[in-house]
Amino acid sequence: MIVQTCINGARSADFHPQLPLDADAMARDGAASVGAGAAELHVHARGLDGRESLAPAAIDATVLALRRACPGTLIGVSTGAWIENDDQRTLVAIAGWRELPDYASVNLSEAAAPLVMESLRQRGIGIEAGLASIADAERLVSLDHGGRVLRILIEISEQTLDEAFAVSDGIEAVLERAGIRRSILLHGENATVWPFVERAAARKWSTRVGLEDGKVLPDGTTAPGNAALTAAAVAIFRAGR
């Protein structure tokens, strides 16, 4: 059971005044989040133009800055297809990384997911298999039965709680029927962030919070930043022990 902090995601600068959008800001924010109890960090690197990027220059600078600021902390990145908006560019970028992240998330809903997963394996980078639907879970099972991923990332985007729980339950059922025994990290988005933190704590699964997923604390107020969101999730986990 860990709390991972997702410090920025695809959010734009107007989402929150403390959203970290360059390598130095990510390093400072990451260190503060680790100080608040984050066991791992998930980041979306940015290029010099401020846009998300998988280019080696962006990934290398970001991972290096985070390693210096947060020694010993596992660092993960996204491989979302929208970042490069071209599957071949994504694969070429991954092949060119020099400062390797510890893991990368791969969305099983994306057409190139198998190729991206294999590219990451060839580089020795762990894979978070991102499942946002029952179909995603079934695809993972059909590919390799989930046996070669670092963990399963169940990420729910539905904003109606009953619908969100139903999707989560359906994904869990597919994994259970397939006999997949991998670590699970469960998280919601915006309205469902905290219900899923509580669900993860109850199931003894890992979770994540941060400005990628939402900016509101459990009491409904806007968080001052990622460290406060992290501290709130850690408190929920500790209370459930």
Side-chain angles (χ1 to χ4, degrees):
M1 286 176 65
I2 64 159
V3 172
Q4 180 189 95
T5 303
C6 50
I7 63 176
N8 54 10
R11 304 285 191 181
S12 58
D14 60 359
F15 179 70
H16 192 283
Q18 297 303 314
L19 188 74
L21 294 176
D22 61 58
D24 290 341
M26 291 182 213
R28 291 191 299 271
D29 196 274
S33 298
V34 171
E40 296 181 6
L41 299 171
H42 172 80
V43 302
H44 289 224
R46 297 300 207 278
L48 294 177
D49 59 1
R51 301 174 66 179
E52 290 179 272
S53 177
L54 297 179
I59 293 291
D60 292 350
T62 298
V63 172
L64 181 60
L66 285 164
R67 291 215 190 287
R68 287 173 172 168
C70 311
T73 299
L74 296 184
I75 308 298
V77 301
S78 173
T79 62
W82 69 88
I83 297 176
E84 294 297 328
N85 204 30
D86 180 277
D87 294 339
Q88 189 59 36
R89 275 206 304 269
T90 295
L91 296 172
V92 169
I94 292 170
W97 294 347
R98 293 188 178 184
E99 293 290 339
L100 300 183
D102 296 290
Y103 60 90
S105 59
V106 180
N107 301 316
L108 268 293
S109 62
E110 295 173 355
L115 293 175
V116 173
M117 292 167 75
E118 186 57 34
S119 179
L120 293 169
R121 287 184 180 119
Q122 289 176 2
R123 304 291 330 262
I125 300 168
I127 296 167
E128 279 189 330
L131 311 180
S133 69
I134 294 170
D136 290 350
E138 291 170 341
R139 188 182 191 199
L140 177 66
V141 170
S142 72
L143 287 174
D144 66 359
H145 301 281
R148 294 195 295 156
V149 300
L150 171 68
R151 70 165 64 97
I152 307 294
L153 180 64
I154 300 179
E155 40 192 358
I156 304 300
S157 60
E158 283 77 8
Q159 293 298 285
T160 301
L161 202 54
D162 286 347
E163 292 178 349
F165 283 159
V167 173
S168 177
D169 289 343
I171 292 172
E172 185 181 355
V174 171
L175 300 177
E176 183 66 28
R177 285 197 301 271
I180 292 178
R181 298 287 185 268
R182 308 304 291 174
S183 173
I184 292 177
L185 188 154
L186 172 70
H187 75 89
E189 179 182 335
N190 296 321
T192 65
V193 167
W194 298 108
F196 275 101
V197 170
E198 292 172 353
R199 173 174 273 219
R203 281 169 163 69
K204 307 300 182 186
W205 290 347
S206 296
T207 195
R208 83 177 200 190
V209 293
L211 292 174
E212 173 173 351
D213 292 340
K215 61 184 176 182
V216 176
L217 290 166
D219 65 4
T221 61
T222 298
N226 281 311
L229 293 165
T230 303
V234 169
I236 290 172
F237 268 39
R238 287 176 177 167
R241 287 177 180 170

